Amino acid sequence: MAIAMSVGSRPLVPSRLAPGGVAHGGRTVATSKVGAYLALTKPRIIELLLITTVPTMVLAEGGWPSTWLVIITLVGGTLAAGGANAINMYIDRDIDRLMVRTRNRPLVTGAVAPRDALVFAVLLEIAAFAVLWVGANLLSAVLALSATAFYVGVYTIWLKRTSTQNIVIGGAAGAVPVLVGWAAVQGSLSWAPIVLFGVMFFWTPPHFWALAIRYADDYRAANVPMLPAVVPLEHAVRQMIGHTLAMVACSLLLVPVADLGPIYGVAAAVLGAIFVLATVWLSRNPTPSNSMRVFGYSITYVTLLFGAMMLDVLL
């Protein structure tokens, strides 16, 4: 929920001219329209969700699962996340217009009509449920749909504009992909995916608040009570440290719960220690540029942590 691409939001210009000076306008418009719909899904956020899904499936299988099942789960997860993000843009198009970071989104620029965006989002969710139910199992499909319902209903509609705890509670939706990945393999849930859910649940606030520090003025302009925009920066960073410590504790708890070995255990300890030190460093040097360094590391952290988990199982 932290990054969105603005594909297809620039003014249309003729990219090539046919003989006689006639532009291939239809091709340019079609390409721009596809890009605008793609931007509605926030592809870069989806990339991060998928990074957590495949290693979780490997852990659930105790090895490499069926490649077909992996593909199906990734397709279903992508469709579900894309639909949720598109609904989020539909609901937030009024405040997106007020923020520098989001003013080029397709619904703000008019590249996509609001009704068309909503229909597109609903179709993605229907397709996601069908793909996961038919290709994996009902539990994974229900979990994916519940994540969308939680993200839209609890975070976007209820908490985002009313509470400083918006990303703390609402961010739980971003932790559901690990449950989907596990359920797709096992058809049930156990303690290991719940602990992984905890890792992502506690990871989300420091990850997002680091970005929100940089764009605090945007949130103030849109009257969105994102924590770093409404409390002293030092207080927001202290909250980041607390959540980071809880995240590291969950990541280490996974070692005995999932019977993981030294590859994951060492990686979890080292990567977690760096994350804690980074947030402590930010508390002593609380500037927007430093917060973006923490934001960048948060993405590196989750990528390497889940990668180490997958290697631990496969090697």
Side-chain angles (χ1 to χ4, degrees), residues 16 25 44-45 87 110 114 129 188 211:
R16 290 195 299 173
R44 292 177 66 184
I45 296 178
I87 296 173
F129 189 87
S188 62
L211 182 70

Side-chain angles (χ1 to χ4, degrees), residues 25-240:
R27 181 180 302 172
T28 303
V29 171
T31 302
S32 178
K33 184 65 71 174
V34 170
Y37 276 98
L38 179 63
L40 285 174
T41 67
K42 302 182 185 178
R44 292 177 66 184
I45 296 178
I46 294 174
E47 290 174 15
L48 189 60
L49 299 179
L50 300 184
I51 283 171
T52 66
T53 301
V54 176
T56 301
M57 295 181 73
V58 170
L59 181 63
E61 181 68 30
W64 186 257
S66 162
T67 300
W68 175 246
L69 181 61
V70 171
I71 293 172
I72 285 293
T73 306
L74 292 181
V75 170
T78 298
L79 292 171
N85 289 330
I87 296 173
N88 172 266
M89 282 199 195
Y90 171 82
I91 295 170
D92 281 350
R93 64 191 186 278
D94 59 332
I95 58 176
D96 282 348
R97 190 180 305 276
L98 303 175
M99 297 193 289
V100 174
R101 186 174 65 89
T102 57
R103 62 176 51 164
N104 288 325
R105 287 179 172 176
L107 289 174
V108 177
T109 63
V112 179
R115 180 181 177 278
D116 294 341
L118 185 59
V119 171
F120 173 66
V122 171
L123 290 176
L124 288 181
E125 292 300 327
I126 294 172
F129 189 87
V131 166
L132 289 170
W133 188 6
V134 174
N137 51 57
L138 181 59
L139 178 59
S140 63
V142 170
L143 285 169
L145 189 62
S146 68
T148 296
F150 193 88
Y151 179 50
V152 172
V154 174
Y155 172 70
T156 305
I157 295 177
W158 176 27
L159 293 175
K160 183 173 182 178
R161 307 187 192 207
T162 61
S163 172
T164 58
Q165 295 300 299
N166 45 23
I167 201 65
V168 177
I169 300 171
V176 173
V178 298
L179 302 182
V180 174
W182 186 281
V185 173
Q186 292 286 345
S188 62
L189 296 177
S190 63
W191 282 112
I194 292 174
V195 173
L196 279 173
F197 177 91
V199 171
M200 295 307 298
F201 176 80
F202 289 114
W203 171 85
T204 300
H207 162 74
F208 196 86
W209 285 336
L211 182 70
I213 290 172
R214 168 66 178 81
Y215 292 101
D217 289 342
D218 266 5
Y219 289 110
R220 294 188 190 105
N223 199 30
V224 174
M226 202 60 66
L227 189 68
V230 297
V231 302
L233 190 55
E234 295 77 9
H235 175 73
V237 177
R238 283 198 299 270
Q239 291 289 313
M240 290 173 63

Side-chain angles (χ1 to χ4, degrees), residues 250-295:
C250 286
S251 72
L252 295 174
L253 179 60
L254 189 64
V255 174
V257 170
D259 194 27
L260 290 168
I263 295 177
Y264 172 81
V266 172
V270 172
L271 293 169
I274 294 173
F275 206 147
V276 172
L277 290 174
T279 53
V280 170
W281 170 74
L282 180 61
S283 71
R284 297 175 181 175
N285 305 275
T287 66
S289 60
N290 288 339
S291 74
M292 289 305 292
R293 292 186 178 95
V294 175
F295 173 76

